[in-house]
């Protein structure tokens, strides 16, 4: 789902080390892929499958990335993650779901916690 450099970034952010205890680099990910027969990500592959990642979904919906995360957490927008910390993968067609469009129009991308108040500026 990601280029070798992006995979290295995710693994390092998660604190995952190589078998020798090293941090991940693009070259180490490439070597691991080659040794284990894992296909490389090809540029444009996600688009061919009709998938977008978080920032692409936010741009398409014209909302912030945090709004998209809230829609996912609320179960309004279906999304997958290969593992915790990996990018969300969203089917492009799911961005047009009536529930998603309704939530965006109504502004329902804020916390449903009743204890959360509004901050009034004067």
């Amino acid at each position: 789902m990601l280029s070798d450099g992006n995979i290295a970034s995710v693994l390092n952010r998660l604190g995952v080390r190589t078998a020798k205890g090293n941090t991940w680099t693009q070259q180490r990910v490439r070597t691991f892929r080659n040794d284990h027969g894992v296909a490389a990500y090809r540029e444009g592959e996600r688009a061919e499958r009709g998938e977008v990642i978080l920032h692409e979904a936010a741009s398409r919906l014209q909302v912030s990335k945090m709004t998209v995360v809230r829609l996912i957490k609320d179960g309004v927008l279906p999304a997958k993650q290969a593992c915790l910390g990996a990018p969300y993968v969203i089917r492009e067609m799911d961005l047009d779901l009536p529930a998603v469009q309704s939530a965006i129009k109504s502004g329902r991308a804020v916390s449903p916690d009743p204890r959360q108040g509004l901050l009034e500026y004067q």
Side-chain angles (χ1 to χ4, degrees), residues 1-2 6 41 43-65 68 77 87-92 95:
M1 291 189 196
L2 297 171
N6 288 340
Y41 173 74
E43 196 64 41
E45 189 175 336
R46 268 188 288 104
E48 290 172 10
R49 290 192 305 259
E51 299 171 339
V52 295
I53 56 177
L54 188 66
H55 75 273
E56 295 165 339
S59 177
R60 165 109 185 270
L61 294 171
Q62 297 181 332
V63 297
S64 71
K65 290 187 288 186
V68 176
L77 178 60
Y88 285 106
V89 178
I90 303 158
R91 292 185 316 174
E92 202 167 2
L95 299 176

Side-chain angles (χ1 to χ4, degrees), residues 7-8 11-12 16-19 22-26 28-29 32:
I7 291 171
L11 292 171
N12 289 327
V16 177
R17 297 292 180 133
T18 67
N22 297 318
T23 58
W24 288 94
T25 64
Q26 182 175 350
R28 287 181 178 137
V29 171
F32 181 89

Side-chain angles (χ1 to χ4, degrees), residues 3-118:
S3 68
D4 293 345
N6 288 340
I7 291 171
S9 295
V10 169
L11 292 171
N12 289 327
R13 189 171 46 247
L14 293 173
V16 177
R17 297 292 180 133
T18 67
K20 294 182 179 180
N22 297 318
T23 58
W24 288 94
T25 64
Q26 182 175 350
Q27 182 59 46
R28 287 181 178 137
V29 171
R30 182 179 301 124
T31 300
F32 181 89
R33 268 192 318 88
N34 291 334
D35 290 350
H36 293 85
V38 177
Y41 173 74
R42 186 176 37 79
E43 196 64 41
E45 189 175 336
R46 268 188 288 104
E48 290 172 10
R49 290 192 305 259
E51 299 171 339
V52 295
I53 56 177
L54 188 66
H55 75 273
E56 295 165 339
S59 177
R60 165 109 185 270
L61 294 171
Q62 297 181 332
V63 297
S64 71
K65 290 187 288 186
M66 193 64 225
T67 296
V68 176
V69 170
R70 287 185 185 118
L71 292 170
I72 293 168
K73 297 288 186 194
D74 287 350
V76 175
L77 178 60
K80 295 180 195 173
Q81 262 184 318
C83 66
L84 186 63
Y88 285 106
V89 178
I90 303 158
R91 292 185 316 174
E92 202 167 2
M93 61 191 250
D94 288 340
L95 299 176
D96 296 323
L97 290 172
V100 172
Q101 295 300 316
S102 174
I104 290 171
K105 285 180 185 158
S106 71
R108 175 49 211 114
V110 296
S111 172
D113 189 337
R115 297 172 297 165
Q116 182 172 339
L118 295 175

